[in-house]
Amino acid sequence: MKYNKLLVLASVTAMLGTTVAGCSGNADNQQAGGTDNKKAPAQEIRINLAAEPPAIDSSVATTNPSFTILNAVNEGLYRLDAEGKPQPGLAKELPKISPDGLVYTITLRDGLTWADGSPLKASDFVWAYQRTLDPATKAKYATMLSWIKGGVALNKAKPEEVEAKKAELGVKAKDDKTLEITLERPVAFFTDQLAMPLFFPQKPDFVKAQGDKNGADADKIIGAGPFKMEKWDHEQQIVLVKNDKYWDAANVKLNKVTVNVVKDANTALNMYETDQVDLTELRGEQAKAYQGKPDLTLKKEFVTGYLMFHNSKFPAFANAKIRQALGMAIDRKAYNEVVNGGTSIPSTGLVPVTVLDGNKQEFRKVAGDTEPAFDVAKAKQLLAEGLKELNMTSLPKFKLTADDTEGAKKTIEFVQAQWKQNLGVDVDGEPLPFALRVKNMQENNFDALFALWGADYNDPMTFLDMWLSDNKSFNYVAYNNKAYDDLVKGADKEVDLAKRSKMLVDAEKQLMADLPISPLYFRTRPYAKKPNVEGLILPPMSKEWELKWVSIK
């Protein structure tokens, strides 16, 4: 998500619910001649999301639900496989990269079409990237496309400059099948990034016709992926069907995907246990019942769950000691057991385990524990000192906002109890529907908020550049520290990978010392999966699931 992110995600961000797959019963039919013939299983799968996806628009999407659906109905130049490696998607082959790492020349496959049968051309990528970077689009992820030469200039252009800056952007259609992308500086993981929905093509005349409603309903979505959207009943169900116009349709086995919006964890599990579905996320205590069973499948994610403290909406949060006190007063190990059923990992910093440092080492092993440990006595001391500095005798009541999913509501309850018990601080819980929670977060309409962020690429930068003082897209708490800015921006330009790694480590240490956000856990999500669902990928970042290679046996 960045992620997804989001992740995210969604990073997200964002918190998704149960993922379930349609159970296809193998019926034995007794024939007159006495021969048993097995009926072929229906190639259908049903999946539950705990949250309604916001608009399915690759320029403005920021959440895992949106990225997940986008990845099903559309495709980029590349698609990530089970090992997270880019495989040719709409591109015929991997890119040809210039010796200086700046110019990517990519050839599209022959005969590509959109789901409506109209030709898909290299210029559809150019138009999509220009639209995302156009300031009028207000794309949160435009910063990632700013890696393209001229991207920053376009994204910051005045209205009268936009068309000229689009023409200067370093992405060109050399012909209908050849795309050339020129970067501002080498980005080692750029090929991987081209698989992210942000880099998907868009059909110009279709998007223009939809206007502000692009991606908002089934008839306002078009892609060139394995599936196409047949129906979208908001807050209830999304139905996808196989896209026969997809270049690799012959290898797509599923004919239908039903995505249900199901918020209640017990309802979702009951669907699995009564054979209504084949795959479901296990939440909280549910996972313990499946320990040691063949159904248990773990989704290891590049996702961190954390609390954000808005230092202007709630002025007391401008005091670092107040933030530190609140963070240190939460027992993260107990949180993981009570809320996550012990399946995730208590956080020790912002960047989750297994994310690499850009220098072929695991970042967490290089950085060590940078987040303040659970310490009630120290938290009480910091709270008292912070209140004294603010000329207050107690912390005013504030709201803790989160999604209205079961897990998020449990997070609110746990944190409320910890702050009350350990600090004597009262807080009002505010569970909201996912889309509204995201809207309030993006509009800085919260005091404290629980969110998740999922990596958009396997590097610490996807977690750290969010909190730059000039990152208007994702720095929702208005964190501002020049030392932190210098470290992150310096690392962004540093070509010596060892030096870059150290700068990123030092940046995380600075962030965890100031604690404008307080991480709670690194997410691992358990699922129960029926053995007849094969080829399902549960990616570690940006998306909930990958369905292209799924079949029902």
Side-chain angles (χ1 to χ4, degrees):
M1 78 144 32
K2 210 119 325 324
Y3 35 177
N4 197 212
K5 16 239 298 116
L6 58 118
L7 51 136
V8 282
L9 61 183
S11 256
V12 242
T13 178
M15 289 192 68
L16 291 182
T18 306
T19 304
V20 292
C23 179
S24 45
N26 289 343
D28 290 336
N29 295 328
Q30 187 71 23
Q31 303 298 316
T35 303
D36 288 342
N37 291 326
K38 278 192 174 182
K39 182 181 179 182
Q43 295 300 313
E44 299 181 7
I45 191 168
R46 285 171 289 184
I47 301 173
N48 291 352
L49 294 183
E52 165 87 349
I56 310 302
D57 181 334
S58 56
S59 280
V60 301
T62 62
T63 68
N64 267 15
S66 295
F67 288 153
T68 302
I69 301 299
L70 275 164
N71 189 62
V73 301
N74 206 353
E75 186 164 79
L77 295 160
Y78 305 100
R79 184 174 285 268
L80 300 183
D81 63 17
E83 284 73 47
K85 298 184 182 301
Q87 300 298 334
L90 298 180
K92 180 180 179 181
E93 57 194 4
L94 292 176
K96 294 180 173 62
I97 306 173
S98 62
D100 60 7
L102 296 178
V103 181
Y104 287 61
T105 303
I106 301 164
T107 303
L108 302 186
R109 294 180 182 275
D110 294 333
L112 291 177
T113 70
W114 291 98
D116 64 358
S118 58
L120 188 153
K121 300 176 288 187
S123 58
D124 295 336
F125 287 90
V126 177
W127 190 86
Y129 299 176
Q130 290 176 343
R131 175 175 178 253
T132 301
L133 284 163
D134 188 329
T137 305
K138 298 180 181 179
K140 296 288 185 180
Y141 267 122
T143 51
M144 202 171 294
L145 277 170
S146 296
W147 295 337
I148 298 174
K149 187 175 182 180
V152 172
L154 171 53
N155 195 229
K156 294 183 177 180
K158 297 177 181 178
E160 64 273 18
E161 301 172 333
V162 168
E163 291 307 314
K165 296 302 180 184
K166 284 182 179 179
E168 296 171 4
L169 186 66
V171 54
K172 309 292 182 186
K174 308 300 286 186
D175 53 50
D176 285 350
K177 287 182 54 184
T178 308
L179 187 69
E180 182 183 88
I181 303 173
T182 303
L183 304 181
E184 290 280 6
R185 61 186 183 283
V187 178
F189 44 80
F190 189 68
T191 301
D192 296 27
Q193 283 309 96
L194 291 173
M196 186 180 177
L198 182 70
F199 292 88
F200 284 3
Q202 297 177 29
K203 186 177 178 182
D205 56 350
F206 183 89
V207 174
K208 290 175 185 176
Q210 310 315 315
D212 292 340
K213 299 296 183 180
N214 183 61
D217 290 294
D219 62 349
K220 296 175 176 58
I221 297 167
I222 192 169
F227 306 95
K228 56 186 179 181
M229 189 177 293
E230 183 178 72
K231 183 175 71 171
W232 188 355
D233 292 333
H234 289 282
E235 299 294 344
Q236 296 182 52
Q237 189 178 83
I238 291 174
V239 177
L240 309 177
V241 295
K242 182 175 177 178
N243 175 18
D244 291 332
K245 300 291 195 300
Y246 179 53
W247 69 268
D248 199 25
N251 291 312
V252 176
K253 304 305 180 186
L254 290 176
N255 292 315
K256 184 177 181 181
V257 179
T258 303
V259 181
N260 302 304
V261 178
V262 179
K263 296 181 179 180
D264 184 76
N266 292 326
T267 300
L269 181 58
N270 181 63
M271 293 171 69
Y272 180 82
E273 293 184 339
T274 56
D275 292 328
Q276 297 178 61
V277 297
D278 294 336
L279 178 79
T280 186
E281 182 186 354
L282 300 170
R283 286 178 275 176
E285 294 294 317
Q286 294 176 346
K288 293 182 178 179
Y290 281 83
Q291 293 296 326
K293 293 185 178 181
D295 307 58
L296 185 64
T297 302
L298 296 178
K299 175 178 167 65
K300 298 180 180 179
E301 299 182 309
F302 298 159
V303 174
T304 300
Y306 52 87
L307 300 174
M308 294 192 287
F309 304 115
H310 202 298
N311 63 27
S312 59
K313 180 76 164 46
F314 188 74
F317 290 159
N319 185 285
K321 291 180 178 178
I322 299 293
R323 302 191 302 265
Q324 293 162 359
L326 292 171
M328 294 174 70
I330 301 171
D331 186 339
R332 300 191 293 275
K333 291 183 179 179
Y335 170 90
N336 184 48
E337 291 295 328
V338 172
V339 179
N340 295 332
T343 57
S344 291
I345 301 171
S347 61
T348 53
L350 176 61
V351 180
V353 294
T354 71
V355 171
L356 301 180
D357 70 340
N359 191 35
K360 300 181 180 179
Q361 303 294 319
E362 189 176 317
F363 181 84
R364 280 270 57 88
K365 292 180 179 178
V366 175
D369 297 353
T370 61
E371 185 177 3
F374 171 59
D375 188 333
V376 175
K378 182 65 173 176
K380 288 180 177 178
Q381 176 189 332
L382 287 167
L383 178 61
E385 292 175 0
L387 289 173
K388 185 176 180 180
E389 291 174 4
L390 295 170
N391 294 316
M392 293 180 176
T393 56
S394 63
L395 199 61
K397 185 172 280 191
F398 59 91
K399 288 182 180 179
L400 174 57
T401 303
D403 293 340
D404 60 358
T405 59
E406 290 300 310
K409 287 190 285 190
K410 285 183 179 180
T411 293
I412 291 176
E413 293 166 2
F414 184 89
V415 172
Q416 281 178 311
Q418 290 275 287
W419 285 344
K420 178 65 174 177
Q421 176 183 329
N422 297 330
L423 295 177
V425 171
D426 288 312
V427 56
D428 291 330
E430 186 183 42
L432 298 174
F434 176 74
L436 179 57
R437 191 272 296 168
V438 171
K439 179 176 183 290
N440 284 0
M441 179 180 69
Q442 293 177 344
E443 294 177 355
N444 299 301
N445 183 23
F446 66 91
D447 300 329
L449 184 143
F450 171 68
L452 297 99
W453 182 260
D456 296 313
Y457 46 95
N458 191 357
D459 187 89
M461 189 63 79
T462 189
F463 288 91
L464 297 173
D465 65 1
M466 297 171 62
W467 312 107
L468 289 168
S469 59
D470 60 359
N471 188 335
K472 305 305 181 185
S473 295
F474 296 107
N475 185 1
Y476 301 121
V477 296
Y479 176 58
N480 190 336
N481 184 305
K482 185 177 185 302
Y484 181 80
D485 288 353
D486 289 345
L487 285 165
V488 174
K489 291 184 177 182
D492 197 36
K493 299 176 182 177
E494 181 57 63
V495 294
D496 185 311
L497 298 184
K499 289 181 180 178
R500 179 180 183 271
S501 174
K502 184 178 186 307
M503 295 171 82
L504 293 173
V505 168
D506 289 344
E508 191 194 60
K509 288 179 178 178
Q510 181 67 64
L511 188 70
M512 291 296 94
D514 292 338
L515 222 65
I517 60 171
S518 184
L520 294 176
Y521 65 98
F522 305 140
R523 190 168 70 176
T524 296
R525 295 166 65 192
Y527 288 78
K529 181 176 74 68
K530 304 281 180 159
N532 66 334
V533 177
E534 296 189 354
L536 179 75
I537 298 173
L538 300 175
M541 56 184 177
S542 296
K543 300 176 288 292
E544 279 303 296
W545 26 259
E546 167 63 75
L547 300 179
K548 176 182 174 178
W549 296 285
V550 170
S551 63
I552 308 299
K553 300 299 183 183

